[in-house]
Amino acid sequence: MAEQSKLPASRESTQGGVFDWHPLESVRRQFDRLFDDFPSRRGLADFQPFDRLMSQLPATPPVDFVEKDGGYEITAELPGLDEKSVDVKLSNGVLSISGEKSEEKEEKKEGYYCSERRYGSFRRAFRVPEGVDAEKITADFEKGVLKIKLPKTPESKQEEKKIEIAAK
């Protein structure tokens, strides 16, 4: 004779109509409680500790590294900085871009005073490709954009040679 398990005769239980007998019901109730406790109208960035953490992380400026006909070009977006607060150095085949940004803001109104200070530094480093003429590297800074030109040496500008593949 087959073994039978006993299930509630009606769909209602003693706890107000919830199907307590279903194996996943308790998991569903715990999951619902989790979302009931979580503020649904606010995003994760609205929570003060997370917002404070994100504002303290060092910002790394976006950089494009492109090969052009006569050499390479690095473009770095550095909004809010000027050429005096940015350093470009070449050492042992590594080109580094570094800088520091500091900002102070003070606002006074009747019954209100706000003082904010933000500062941070960044550094990006790139291995200079072979064939770059290190003596002719130039850097220009205009409207928050740094452009560094790394010209190729005459020897490295030679046209590429196609090598045929022999079939055997």
Side-chain angles (χ1 to χ4, degrees):
M1 190 171 192
E3 192 175 314
Q4 295 179 355
S5 59
K6 294 183 180 184
L7 297 175
S10 75
R11 299 184 118 208
E12 293 187 24
S13 73
T14 56
Q15 296 184 358
V18 178
F19 303 122
D20 287 333
W21 59 270
H22 194 279
L24 297 176
E25 186 61 30
S26 64
V27 174
R28 188 188 67 79
R29 270 188 272 125
Q30 289 176 1
F31 200 67
D32 287 345
R33 255 184 297 188
L34 174 70
F35 282 103
D36 288 341
D37 295 340
F38 193 78
S40 61
R41 293 187 187 351
R42 298 177 69 186
L44 186 58
D46 291 336
F47 291 101
Q48 179 107 11
F50 186 74
D51 186 38
R52 208 176 309 140
L53 173 69
M54 292 304 291
S55 67
Q56 293 174 356
L57 293 174
T60 304
V63 175
D64 293 327
F65 194 99
V66 181
E67 181 175 10
K68 296 195 170 190
D69 292 334
Y72 303 92
E73 186 174 276
I74 297 174
T75 305
E77 296 177 18
L78 306 170
L81 294 176
D82 59 11
E83 65 275 358
K84 295 174 189 150
S85 55
V86 178
D87 286 325
V88 179
K89 295 180 181 175
L90 179 66
S91 176
N92 296 324
V94 176
L95 181 80
S96 64
I97 305 168
S98 59
E100 188 168 351
K101 182 177 185 177
S102 62
E103 179 181 353
E104 291 186 32
K105 178 181 170 184
E106 190 171 332
E107 187 176 343
K108 293 181 185 180
K109 293 182 180 177
E110 187 175 325
Y112 174 78
Y113 175 76
C114 178
S115 176
E116 295 180 334
R117 291 179 195 90
R118 295 180 188 179
Y119 57 91
S121 60
F122 68 90
R123 182 174 187 274
R124 298 287 308 260
F126 305 92
R127 169 98 21 220
V128 176
E130 288 184 37
V132 169
D133 190 349
E135 299 298 319
K136 295 183 180 176
I137 296 176
T138 61
D140 297 314
F141 194 90
E142 184 179 353
K143 296 181 182 178
V145 178
L146 174 68
K147 286 191 178 182
I148 303 170
K149 294 183 180 176
L150 302 113
K152 293 181 180 179
T153 60
E155 297 83 30
S156 66
K157 290 182 188 178
Q158 293 176 359
E159 292 183 31
E160 62 184 42
K161 176 185 174 186
K162 182 170 171 111
I163 300 171
E164 296 296 325
I165 302 171
K168 290 189 176 187

